[in-house]
């Protein structure tokens, strides 16, 4: 995927004040269209600056860049470049695919929900979007309250132009990650390379040090260019708006987390029956330590997979559920590897061997299913066993449990009954052991 | 040297100094390599840069300019640059947070006072049982308290003074501490109160300068340390072996915090170089860094979701950095707060940020709105350390006034 990393550099050149594509605000019928350039502008620029003679080649490359989400047509879900007066807009770096941020279905649900809150006919959901929304509503029925809340958290008082731009950029982001049926999903990664696609910020900083800096710097210099350049005011305006839009996203993420956990924060919600430091009564600590999980605690497991893994009672219940599905070896493997990382270095080689024998060796009693690439890598790692010998396999199993078993666990009648406190959560009689 | 030549030399010098200053002011110096020359890297070759450099060249070419005029011009330029930079700070969380309701009044009082240290309290850490605390002080004493009853359960005297770092093991069965001895040592906590803890001491980490912070990773078997020698390191407790070292700070590292994730492998550190760095524990690489504070960073703490972290600095501000957006998103400051923030921590939901300051107070901030919701008085000297309890029911502050206070 080496070519992909070069695209941000081209984009930076396209956005250059002097030699880039001229960006402008166009007055249309009753409103203004901010921060746009035409398809033919792009083609011309590419032919001039990238040494492309053939218009077809320019269109092809431009379409690929659009399909990957670096700029987009403002009036179409289908991401392609046309050599005419069709208007395009640049995508904000926050949403660039080079950030390797894989959004979840809950994020998509929030976005679609937000769209339905807008009262403009032309922004109505397309058929495939309406279908997705219906599907997601069924899948996340229990969580819908939080999804709705997050969708509502959009700042409605924002400047109209800014809002227009951000909305279009967000829509374009989803057009890349949830493309129109029939279009290529450019986020699908080549499995050979997918091991290198780690956390978003890691990839950005480690591989593209200067590029990250240059696009941030582009914003910097554009903001400072209010009077010393002949560029139109709207261009500067755009970048200020883009930066503000960024902050809106950050804000809604932090806000929704805070709002979700505020009922568990003793500074906001008094614990049951009281805060021990204030009442001098330790009952709430005793309740927490007991293996019986109250409704509030059970509810927390539904927030995200990590909540189940953090809580010993949650882990137990999840393990029980997996046993009923005959896939408990996944969780046991994950727990064993976590445990391995905590052992003294002296114990590591023998522990690695034990885990290998139990979960991965041919004919293993609790064989887990990992892709052959992770399997081969692990086979190599155990020859020189370290704490991270099973890292790839563990990540694979974590993703599997998160996307598959966890969502079924939350929808299961066992969990739902605990949530509605119909059934008391009883501790398992045997000790929870990894191997 | 003849006067004309002198003038030329001065102008050339000015050009070089000016250009270097522009680089430093406009860019995050840690990310750009000035060795390569001023116009070679793409991110330095921007119109704004070129404009400024042309301006400098023009000035250098003026035959009749005197040094004094050049100096005035450079001051004007500097002010201009600072103004432009300040504009960036306008885009922050508090602007978009206007629409949410302000928080009400909080009643936070001292619920317990822990007295027993003979000198400045420098560090504290909570036990996972939500009620025990380990604290360390300048007189070399490390005390383990049941903060709920205020009883002292263990006390150890370290061979050095200024025990700047201490941590409670996840199992609750040991504590780690260190300071001017450049080491981090682990003491198993015995149930027998009469047993001499010092006898069972285990030396784990060895740095070449003072130990500023330490923390157990998710087990009793590994410790993460930061030091005045500018590095952080991960150690195997049993063997004392260094498992990974982290290089990148240009000065003393003063603080660190582990990311709150079941799968995560990262931590953040802050130092005297005004930089905070996010590290990958497995590879030892710095994956992100931020340099917006104007002075030493004394404390760093992750937002409970792990998406962001806060830092407290000698520049009298606390700041919030979002990891995905890769930038500072909020500054918590007031004109009336002019003393450094020594320690910060979040409430369980992340909505409140507690900051202990060198002006003896604790300021409570609304993380999203950026406003201060409370100021707590009580300590009679600097607040040097502050931690929220594991279940968020209270926070504890330690001070140079020799005491610790539990607030709820």
């Amino acid at each position: 995927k080496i070519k992909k990393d070069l695209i941000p550099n081209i984009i930076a050149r396209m956005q250059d004040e002097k030699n880039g594509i001229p960006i402008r605000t166009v007055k249309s019928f009753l409103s203004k269209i901010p921060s746009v350039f035409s398809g033919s502008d792009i083609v011309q620029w590419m032919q001039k600056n990238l040494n492309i003679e053939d218009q077809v080649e320019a269109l092809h490359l431009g379409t690929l860049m659009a399909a990957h989400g670096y700029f987009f047509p403002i009036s179409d879900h289908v991401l392609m470049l046309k050599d005419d007066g069709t208007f395009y807009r640049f995508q904000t770096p926050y949403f660039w695919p080079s950030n390797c941020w894989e959004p979840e279905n809950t994020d998509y649900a929030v976005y679609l929900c937000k769209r339905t809150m807008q009262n403009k006919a032309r922004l109505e959901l397309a058929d495939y979007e309406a279908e997705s929304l219906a599907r997601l509503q069924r899948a996340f029925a229990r969580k819908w309250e939080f999804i709705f809340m997050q969708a509502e958290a959009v700042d409605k008082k924002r400047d109209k132009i800014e809002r227009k731009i951000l909305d279009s950029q967000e829509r374009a982001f989803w057009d890349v990650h949830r493309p129109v049926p029939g279009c290529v999903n450019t986020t699908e990664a080549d499995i050979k390379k997918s091991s290198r696609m780690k956390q978003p910020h890691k990839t950005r900083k480690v591989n593209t040090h200067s590029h990250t800096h240059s696009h941030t710097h582009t914003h910097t210099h554009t903001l400072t260019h209010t009077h010393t350049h002949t560029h139109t005011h709207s261009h500067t305006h755009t970048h200020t708006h883009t930066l503000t839009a960024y902050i809106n996203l950050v804000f809604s993420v932090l806000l929704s987390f805070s709002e979700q956990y505020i009922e568990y924060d003793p500074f906001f919600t008094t614990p049951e029956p009281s805060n021990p430091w204030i009442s001098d009564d330790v009952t709430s600590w005793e309740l927490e330590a007991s293996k019986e999980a109250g409704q509030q605690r059970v509810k927390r497991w539904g927030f995200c997979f990590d909540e189940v893994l953090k809580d010993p009672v949650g882990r137990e219940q999840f393990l029980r559920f997996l046993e009923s599905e005959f896939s408990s070896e996944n969780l046991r493997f994950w727990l064993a590897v976590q445990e391995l990382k905590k052992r003294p270095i002296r114990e590591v080689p023998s522990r690695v061997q034990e885990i290998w024998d139990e979960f991965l060796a041919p004919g293993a009693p609790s064989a887990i299913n990992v892709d052959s690439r992770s399997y081969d890598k692990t086979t190599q790692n155990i020859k020189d066993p370290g704490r991270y010998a099973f890292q790839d396999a563990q990540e694979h199993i974590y993703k599997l449990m998160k996307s598959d078993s966890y969502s079924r666990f939350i929808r299961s009648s066992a969990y739902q009954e605990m949530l509605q406190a119909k059934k008391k959560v009883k501790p398992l009689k045997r000790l929870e052991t990894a191997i | 040297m003849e006067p004309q030549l002198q003038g030329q030399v001065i102008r050339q010098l000015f050009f070089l100094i000016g250009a270097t200053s522009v680089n430093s002011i406009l860019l995050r110096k840690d990310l750009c390599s000035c060795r390569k020359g001023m116009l070679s890297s793409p991110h330095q070759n921007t119109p704004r840069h070129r404009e400024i450099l042309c301006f400098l060249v023009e000035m250098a070419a003026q035959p009749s300019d005197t040094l004094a005029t050049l100096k005035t011009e450079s001051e004007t330029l500097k002010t201009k640059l600072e103004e432009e930079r300040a504009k960036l700070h306008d885009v922050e969380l508090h602007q978009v947070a206007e629409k949410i309701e302000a928080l009400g009044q909080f009643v936070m009082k001292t619920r317990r006072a822990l007295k027993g240290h003979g000198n400045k309290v420098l560090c504290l850490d909570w036990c996972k049982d939500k009620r025990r605390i380990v604290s360390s002080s300048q007189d070399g004493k490390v005390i383990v308290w049941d903060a709920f009853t205020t009883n002292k359960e263990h006390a150890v005297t370290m061979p050095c003074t200024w025990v700047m770092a201490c941590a409670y093991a996840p199992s609750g069965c040991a504590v780690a501490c260190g300071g001017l001895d450049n080491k981090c040592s682990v003491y198993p906590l015995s149930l027998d109160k009469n047993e001499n803890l010092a006898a069972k001491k285990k030396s784990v980490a060895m740095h070449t300068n003072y130990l500023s912070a330490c923390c157990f990773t998710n087990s009793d078997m590994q410790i993460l340390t930061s030091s005045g020698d500018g590095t952080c390191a991960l150690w195997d407790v049993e063997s004392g072996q260094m498992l990974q070292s982290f290089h990148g700070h240009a000065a003393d590292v003063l603080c660190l915090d582990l990311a709150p994730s079941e799968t995560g492998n990262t931590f953040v550190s802050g130092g005297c170089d005004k930089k905070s760095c996010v590290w990958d524990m497995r590879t030892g690489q710095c994956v992100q860094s931020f340099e917006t504070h104007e002075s030493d960073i004394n404390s760093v703490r992750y937002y409970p979701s792990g998406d962001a972290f806060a830092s407290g600095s000698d520049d009298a501000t606390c700041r919030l950095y979002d990891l995905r957006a890769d930038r500072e998103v909020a500054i918590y400051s007031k004109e009336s707060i002019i003393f450094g923030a020594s320690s910060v921590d979040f409430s369980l939901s992340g909505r409140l940020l507690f900051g202990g300051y060198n002006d003896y107070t604790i300021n409570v901030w609304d993380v999203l709105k950026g406003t201060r919701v409370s100021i707590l008085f009580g300590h009679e000297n600097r607040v040097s350390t502050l931690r929220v309890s594991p279940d968020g029911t209270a926070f504890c502050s330690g001070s140079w006034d020799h005491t610790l206070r539990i607030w709820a």
Side-chain angles (χ1 to χ4, degrees):
Chain A
K1 286 252 158 151
I2 198 163
K3 288 298 175 191
K4 203 166 150 194
D5 288 335
L6 293 177
I7 296 182
N9 289 327
I10 296 177
I11 298 287
R13 287 171 57 194
M14 281 182 175
Q15 291 176 317
D16 184 73
E17 294 276 335
K18 284 212 170 98
N19 303 316
I21 298 174
I23 302 173
R24 55 192 189 278
T25 295
V26 170
K27 289 201 167 84
S28 95
F29 213 24
L30 290 162
S31 61
K32 291 191 199 153
I33 307 176
S35 183
V36 290
F37 43 94
S38 71
S40 30
D41 285 342
I42 302 176
V43 174
Q44 269 170 42
W45 187 91
M46 288 173 82
Q47 286 179 303
K48 181 175 165 199
N49 292 276
L50 298 179
N51 267 322
I52 298 176
E53 283 154 5
D54 186 0
Q55 184 233 38
V56 170
E57 199 186 326
L59 278 176
H60 179 72
L61 179 58
T63 296
L64 275 176
M65 289 171 75
H68 276 88
Y70 288 94
F71 54 76
F72 56 94
I74 62 171
S75 312
D76 201 339
H77 281 297
V78 177
L79 304 168
M80 60 182 289
L81 179 59
K82 294 185 196 159
D83 187 8
D84 57 19
T86 312
F87 288 127
Y88 292 81
R89 188 172 284 145
F90 281 116
Q91 180 58 285
T92 170
Y94 187 78
F95 282 142
W96 282 4
S98 45
N99 293 349
C100 299
W101 169 28
E102 256 318 300
E104 319 235 343
N105 279 328
T106 42
D107 298 317
Y108 190 42
V110 169
Y111 162 70
L112 289 176
C113 202
K114 256 200 296 199
R115 286 272 302 277
T116 62
M117 292 173 184
Q118 290 166 341
N119 291 323
K120 301 210 165 95
R122 62 181 172 81
L123 296 174
E124 247 171 38
L125 294 183
D127 287 342
Y128 74 95
E129 291 176 313
E131 271 170 40
S132 298
L133 180 60
R135 203 177 17 92
L136 289 166
Q137 269 172 333
R138 283 194 301 274
F140 295 126
R142 301 283 160 194
K143 274 210 238 194
W144 203 255
E145 194 194 318
F146 286 112
I147 289 176
F148 192 83
M149 190 177 71
Q150 225 177 312
E152 256 193 332
V154 171
D155 186 359
K156 296 195 172 84
K157 288 203 211 105
R158 259 187 287 142
D159 175 82
K160 229 179 154 191
I161 291 178
E162 184 188 299
R163 200 207 156 94
K164 243 188 186 167
I165 296 175
L166 174 62
D167 284 350
S168 71
Q169 286 171 332
E170 198 180 9
R171 194 207 67 198
F173 173 79
W174 288 108
D175 287 342
V176 171
H177 289 268
R178 298 288 184 275
V180 175
C183 290
V184 173
N185 183 338
T186 57
T187 66
E188 280 170 357
D190 181 349
I191 195 150
K192 301 194 294 289
K193 321 273 174 166
S194 63
S195 61
R196 272 188 272 133
M197 281 170 60
K198 296 198 170 125
Q199 296 303 310
H201 48 264
K202 273 190 209 174
T203 312
R204 268 200 309 157
K205 281 290 168 169
V206 172
N207 297 341
T208 56
H209 221 50
S210 57
H211 122 253
T212 307
H213 199 62
S214 72
H215 78 245
T216 315
H217 191 62
T218 310
H219 283 279
T220 310
H221 90 255
T222 315
L223 278 173
T224 62
H225 265 311
T226 45
H227 41 263
T228 49
H229 266 258
T230 53
H231 243 280
T232 59
H233 177 69
S234 57
H235 179 51
T236 317
H237 206 43
T238 307
H239 282 268
T240 318
H241 284 145
T242 310
L243 218 51
T244 318
Y246 232 132
I247 296 291
N248 274 308
L249 286 159
V250 168
F251 173 74
S252 61
V253 168
L254 296 177
L255 176 69
S256 66
F257 178 87
S258 283
E259 302 227 311
Q260 200 173 38
Y261 283 86
I262 217 126
E263 71 177 277
Y264 300 90
D265 186 340
F267 282 97
F268 290 91
T269 316
T270 313
E272 294 285 320
S274 64
N275 184 327
W277 299 102
I278 301 176
S279 65
D280 290 345
D281 171 13
V282 297
T283 312
S284 74
W285 284 340
E286 283 166 359
L287 283 174
E288 182 74 26
S290 83
K291 288 264 182 165
E292 295 192 5
Q295 220 177 347
Q296 216 194 17
R297 190 169 171 181
V298 172
K299 182 174 166 188
R300 210 165 153 167
W301 304 342
F303 290 170
C304 65
F305 188 35
D306 277 13
E307 287 289 342
V308 169
L309 293 176
K310 263 200 302 202
D311 186 342
V313 181
R315 283 201 300 270
E316 232 175 62
Q317 293 302 319
F318 186 53
L319 185 67
R320 214 180 197 178
F321 171 76
L322 290 175
E323 278 167 0
S324 74
E325 294 204 327
F326 302 102
S327 62
S328 68
E329 62 277 357
N330 285 338
L331 181 62
R332 287 189 292 120
F333 169 73
W334 189 87
L335 290 169
V337 178
Q338 287 296 87
E339 188 56 36
L340 168 72
K341 289 191 268 194
K342 297 177 191 180
R343 300 312 301 163
I345 204 92
R346 172 184 52 88
E347 288 180 21
V348 166
S350 58
R351 283 301 202 120
V352 168
Q353 193 59 45
E354 280 171 24
I355 294 175
W356 172 262
D357 291 338
E358 175 73 17
F359 296 99
L360 287 159
S366 309
I368 56 168
N369 227 339
V370 285
D371 58 296
S372 63
R373 199 206 121 266
S374 300
Y375 189 85
D376 291 339
K377 204 153 183 231
T378 312
T379 315
Q380 286 305 309
N381 289 345
I382 60 161
K383 290 181 184 162
D384 182 16
R387 279 150 55 235
Y388 293 103
F390 298 107
Q391 194 65 14
D392 294 291
Q394 195 194 25
E395 277 169 17
H396 178 91
I397 292 292
Y398 175 84
K399 281 190 198 140
L400 196 65
M401 286 195 292
K402 181 174 175 179
S403 62
D404 193 34
S405 320
Y406 170 67
S407 39
R408 280 204 306 281
F409 171 62
I410 297 302
R411 289 199 305 269
S412 71
S413 51
Y415 176 75
Q416 294 301 326
E417 279 165 24
M418 277 187 266
L419 190 60
Q420 281 143 36
K422 280 185 192 158
K423 197 166 86 171
K424 253 202 161 166
V425 177
K426 293 229 175 74
L428 293 180
K429 289 199 188 95
R430 66 164 196 280
L431 288 167
E432 179 188 290
T433 45
I435 297 176
Chain B
M1 222 195 285
E2 57 166 24
Q4 268 289 66
L5 195 56
Q6 267 181 33
Q8 274 297 332
V9 167
I10 290 169
R11 278 191 282 279
Q12 293 295 344
L13 273 175
F14 176 76
F15 174 78
L16 283 169
I17 294 167
T20 318
S21 314
V22 163
N23 280 336
S24 308
I25 294 168
L26 278 185
L27 304 174
R28 279 161 47 168
K29 201 151 186 283
D30 57 312
L31 287 186
C32 86
S33 169
C34 294
R35 283 170 299 159
K36 284 196 205 147
M38 289 167 301
L39 292 179
S40 59
S41 326
H43 58 266
Q44 290 168 304
N45 188 9
T46 64
R48 183 63 171 163
H49 248 110
R50 289 198 295 273
E51 186 203 19
I52 290 168
L53 289 171
C54 286
F55 168 67
L56 289 168
V57 168
E58 245 182 71
M59 295 219 8
Q62 296 298 321
S64 54
D65 278 346
T66 64
L67 196 57
T69 323
L70 289 173
K71 231 182 151 181
T72 330
E73 294 280 11
S74 94
E75 287 303 310
T76 323
L77 187 64
K78 229 182 148 184
T79 322
K80 215 179 174 193
L81 285 168
E82 281 306 319
E83 268 169 33
E84 302 290 11
R85 203 160 180 227
K87 280 189 192 159
L88 280 178
H89 284 305
D90 286 343
V91 189
E92 276 185 23
L93 266 187
H94 71 263
Q95 291 171 303
V96 301
E98 273 162 25
K99 65 170 196 83
I100 60 171
E101 275 175 41
L103 296 173
Q105 287 281 46
F106 287 89
V107 175
M108 285 182 212
K109 291 199 265 191
T110 302
R111 305 289 174 172
R112 302 285 191 279
L114 305 179
K115 301 186 184 173
H117 276 294
N119 212 319
K120 308 179 175 66
V121 176
L122 303 175
C123 188
L124 78 93
D125 191 20
W126 287 87
C127 175
K128 284 212 157 109
D129 73 359
K130 307 156 197 162
R131 53 189 288 172
R132 285 176 172 74
I133 287 179
V134 61
S135 60
S136 62
S137 92
Q138 188 199 339
D139 63 359
K141 284 252 185 356
V142 174
I143 300 179
V144 175
W145 316 75
D146 175 347
F148 192 71
T149 58
T150 73
N151 289 338
K152 295 186 230 354
E153 296 198 333
H154 299 93
V156 178
T157 308
M158 294 276 285
C160 67
T161 57
W162 286 89
V163 186
M164 295 174 258
C166 63
Y168 225 119
S171 67
C173 299
V175 293
C177 51
L180 283 186
D181 58 351
N182 300 359
K183 288 193 250 179
C184 184
S185 310
V186 175
Y187 293 83
L189 295 175
S190 147
L191 288 169
D192 178 1
K193 305 269 169 82
N194 293 324
E195 190 171 349
N196 182 9
L197 285 185
K200 292 243 175 86
K201 163 179 157 178
K202 190 175 177 43
S203 265
V204 175
M206 287 279 277
H207 278 281
T208 53
N209 207 331
Y210 64 87
L211 187 82
S212 54
C214 63
C215 124
F216 285 87
T217 61
N218 296 322
S219 96
D220 283 19
M221 301 295 151
Q222 281 149 28
I223 288 190
L224 193 58
T225 58
S226 65
S227 164
D229 67 12
T231 71
C232 300
L234 182 67
W235 310 82
D236 178 63
V237 172
E238 196 196 48
S239 61
Q241 192 188 328
M242 187 197 289
L243 300 171
Q244 185 63 254
S245 68
F246 306 90
H247 297 261
H249 278 285
D252 305 18
V253 186
L254 298 178
C255 50
L256 56 81
D257 190 34
L258 268 177
S261 160
E262 291 308 295
T263 54
N265 248 344
T266 58
F267 72 94
V268 62
S269 65
C272 289
D273 55 357
K274 312 174 199 173
K275 230 168 47 167
S276 48
C277 298
V278 179
W279 306 89
D280 178 333
M281 274 170 64
R282 183 181 172 185
T283 59
Q285 297 296 317
C286 169
V287 295
Q288 271 175 288
S289 69
F290 306 88
E291 198 171 345
T292 63
H293 271 293
E294 290 161 25
S295 186
D296 298 2
I297 297 175
N298 300 311
S299 171
V300 285
R301 197 72 63 205
Y302 272 93
Y303 185 81
S305 70
D307 293 327
F309 70 89
S311 55
S313 159
D314 277 347
D315 68 7
T317 71
C318 297
R319 296 176 196 233
L320 186 71
Y321 300 88
D322 185 274
L323 293 175
R324 218 174 344 192
D326 191 34
R327 58 181 300 242
E328 175 193 285
V329 294
I331 304 183
Y332 307 100
S333 67
K334 261 178 116 63
E335 270 192 84
S336 53
I337 301 177
I338 56 173
F339 284 84
S342 62
S343 46
V344 296
D345 205 352
F346 287 97
S347 74
L348 192 141
S349 65
R351 186 61 194 268
L352 298 175
L353 179 70
F354 302 107
Y357 289 74
N358 291 339
D359 64 0
Y360 316 173
T361 69
I362 293 163
N363 288 293
V364 184
W365 301 92
D366 178 336
V367 170
L368 298 174
K369 285 184 96 72
T371 51
R372 182 182 62 191
V373 295
S374 233
I375 177 168
L376 305 174
F377 298 96
H379 279 296
E380 292 164 16
N381 204 324
R382 291 195 196 191
V383 177
S384 51
T385 175
L386 186 156
R387 296 297 292 267
V388 171
S389 75
D391 63 351
T393 46
F395 69 88
C396 181
S397 58
S399 163
W400 280 16
D401 70 6
H402 310 187
T403 71
L404 294 107
R405 283 170 182 255
I406 310 284
W407 305 79

